Amino acid sequence: MIILNTYETIYILKPDVTDDINLSLVKYYKALLKERGAINILVQHRGRRHLSYNISHYYDGIYVQMNYQANGNLVKFLEKSMRFNDNIVRYLTVKQRKNIPGKLISN
């Protein structure tokens, strides 16, 4: 039995990326997740935002958020794929904690 954890990946695209490239990247990563066994994939476009500090001489970026359930090996593969993509300036994946109904999870 494979245990699937809930993850959230946010990646920032270069501000000069066209809408066509943006949509093709979203479709590519969504298909990659689905192909590798992820479930409950939700992609949200967060839009263009000003960065707190410049990254690779960019002051703005296009944010995309993906929520999904997968195993840790898929997350490693996804991040490696993003590392080699020239249109992505930064990415971050965090493991989400699930609240079990009827139980309180404290920090």
Side-chain angles (χ1 to χ4, degrees), residues 43-82:
V43 179
Q44 298 175 344
H45 293 273
R46 294 296 183 182
R48 179 184 293 260
R49 296 193 179 186
H50 185 71
L51 303 173
S52 298
Y53 55 92
N54 67 341
I55 302 173
S56 302
H57 305 293
Y58 293 108
Y59 294 97
D60 292 327
I62 301 169
Y63 284 68
V64 180
Q65 176 182 342
M66 298 188 305
N67 296 77
Y68 53 93
Q69 290 181 327
N71 64 11
N73 293 330
L74 176 58
V75 173
K76 192 184 299 186
F77 183 81
L78 177 69
E79 287 186 343
K80 187 173 184 178
S81 173
M82 288 182 174

Side-chain angles (χ1 to χ4, degrees), residues 10-104:
I10 296 179
Y11 59 94
I12 305 172
L13 298 170
K14 292 179 180 178
D16 55 356
V17 168
T18 63
D19 287 339
D20 292 336
I21 295 173
N22 185 349
L23 290 175
S24 69
L25 284 172
V26 167
K27 287 179 185 175
Y28 171 75
Y29 286 120
K30 189 171 182 178
L32 180 78
L33 287 171
K34 197 175 287 188
E35 174 185 305
R36 298 272 176 161
I39 58 172
N40 299 332
I41 304 167
L42 175 67
V43 179
Q44 298 175 344
H45 293 273
R46 294 296 183 182
R48 179 184 293 260
R49 296 193 179 186
H50 185 71
L51 303 173
S52 298
Y53 55 92
N54 67 341
I55 302 173
S56 302
H57 305 293
Y58 293 108
Y59 294 97
D60 292 327
I62 301 169
Y63 284 68
V64 180
Q65 176 182 342
M66 298 188 305
N67 296 77
Y68 53 93
Q69 290 181 327
N71 64 11
N73 293 330
L74 176 58
V75 173
K76 192 184 299 186
F77 183 81
L78 177 69
E79 287 186 343
K80 187 173 184 178
S81 173
M82 288 182 174
R83 187 177 312 127
F84 293 118
N85 191 322
D86 292 333
N87 292 315
I88 297 176
V89 293
R90 187 76 84 223
Y91 59 88
L92 176 70
T93 301
V94 292
K95 183 177 174 183
Q96 301 289 309
R97 289 197 303 190
K98 282 190 172 182
N99 290 333
I100 301 170
K103 293 186 179 179
L104 178 65

